[in-house]
Amino acid sequence: MDVRLDGKVALITGGSLGLGRAMALRFAEAGASIAIVARGKEALENTAKELREIAGGNKIATYACNVADASEIQLMHAEITKQLGPIDILVNNAGTSQRGPFLEVSDELWQNDLDLKLFAAIRLSRLLLPGMQKRKWGRIMNVLIKAAKAPGAEGAPTAVSRAAGMALTKVLAGEVAKHNVLVNALLVGLIDSNQHQIKHKNSSSSSSYESFLDDMAVAQNIPMGRVGRPEEFADTACFLASDLASYLSGVAINVDGGRSPVV
């Protein structure tokens, strides 16, 4: 199956590392022009260099900003559209896990988490939807976690923020599908990432990183028996962004090796 995104412009938040980087590379391979947004300038430039090597004649843009800040989102949107033109594909991928006992989560942490994971998606969608509706083509993907469907104890604030993101996905999907703007969510399971690499490096374990991941898969009881690869997640996202997924909207797909207890 040849999944193509020729002529499309994709904006990926949290796009410099991990899943964001993997999606950016996959989308570029499929023919899209890419804008990646993250806080760290060095990581952005490193990923942009990789993207330019495979982009052919397509454009690559980077922008360092904090998407939890509404004013920075406005400036970023203006600059990216100036460089690349109207954005066709939005991937709301920014955010890292924040969790702990409910009584220990402060108002500040709640607000920061909601601003980064929920309001960033709200604000970016609000900026991009009018153009998508006018052009009668658009894709919005919200990257969430399996706890959005099945939250556990001590999962706040992230499980709550991500559950709200799933509700946002369904609300938007119902409103804009008539304009051929499709809104879906991808729920992340245990996937190899820079966060796990850092965790392994900081651990006292003498085992290899591969053994570390294998032990994690066993401990988390993943039915497929292994940790996922970023490229597997990116392939799913690329399919959803393409015309091959033209009748999919309002769904939340578990990309987790069967780990989620709910469908």
Side-chain angles (χ1 to χ4, degrees):
M1 183 184 297
D2 189 17
V3 181
R4 302 300 304 172
L5 299 176
D6 299 295
K8 303 303 182 186
V9 177
L11 169 61
I12 303 172
T13 67
S16 63
L17 296 169
L19 295 179
R21 171 183 169 276
M23 286 186 283
L25 291 169
R26 183 67 184 87
F27 287 14
E29 289 173 354
S33 294
I34 309 293
I36 51 173
V37 176
R39 297 190 193 191
K41 291 183 179 180
E42 183 178 356
L44 277 171
E45 287 308 316
N46 289 339
T47 297
K49 183 178 179 181
E50 293 182 86
L51 289 168
R52 292 185 181 106
E53 291 176 355
I54 61 175
N58 294 316
K59 297 179 181 178
I60 304 298
T62 67
Y63 196 95
C65 80
N66 176 12
V67 294
D69 186 313
S71 62
E72 290 193 37
I73 284 179
Q74 292 277 354
L75 293 171
M76 176 268 288
H77 173 254
E79 180 59 28
I80 293 298
T81 52
K82 180 180 178 181
Q83 291 185 49
L84 302 185
I87 295 163
D88 304 295
I89 302 163
L90 168 63
V91 182
N92 291 307
N93 176 60
T96 58
S97 179
Q98 295 282 352
R99 55 175 296 157
F102 176 78
L103 293 177
E104 296 178 14
V105 181
S106 66
D107 281 4
E108 181 181 14
L109 186 55
W110 272 109
Q111 192 61 62
N112 289 342
D113 205 69
L114 287 164
D115 283 338
L116 177 61
K117 295 167 186 169
L118 178 62
F119 277 97
I122 290 170
R123 289 162 177 154
L124 277 167
S125 298
R126 194 162 51 204
L127 283 170
L128 300 184
L129 274 172
M132 292 178 176
Q133 290 175 302
K134 184 177 181 180
R135 295 188 302 276
K136 296 292 183 182
W137 202 99
R139 302 287 189 270
I140 296 176
M141 280 177 278
N142 296 317
V143 177
L144 309 174
I145 59 174
K146 72 179 189 65
K149 290 182 180 179
E154 299 189 359
T158 289
V160 178
S161 300
R162 294 311 196 189
M166 193 160 67
L168 174 67
T169 299
K170 197 65 175 177
V171 167
L172 287 180
E175 289 191 25
V176 300
K178 62 186 176 184
H179 302 287
N180 194 35
V181 179
L182 311 182
V183 187
N184 294 293
L186 292 172
L187 276 61
V188 182
L190 196 57
I191 295 180
D192 185 8
S193 71
N194 57 299
Q195 292 182 41
H196 296 313
Q197 293 166 14
I198 293 170
K199 185 176 180 180
H200 175 255
K201 183 178 179 180
N202 293 336
S203 72
S204 57
S205 173
S206 60
S207 64
S208 68
Y209 180 60
E210 289 72 21
S211 295
F212 175 79
L213 292 180
D214 289 342
D215 291 343
M216 192 181 299
V218 171
Q220 297 294 330
N221 197 29
I222 299 175
M224 289 187 69
R226 64 175 177 86
V227 172
R229 301 187 303 273
E231 295 78 14
E232 292 176 303
F233 187 92
D235 285 340
T236 306
C238 191
F239 170 74
L240 277 183
S242 76
D243 282 325
L244 295 176
S246 57
Y247 203 58
L248 277 177
S249 192
V251 301
I253 300 174
N254 301 328
V255 189
D256 67 349
R259 186 181 173 206
S260 176
V262 294
V263 295

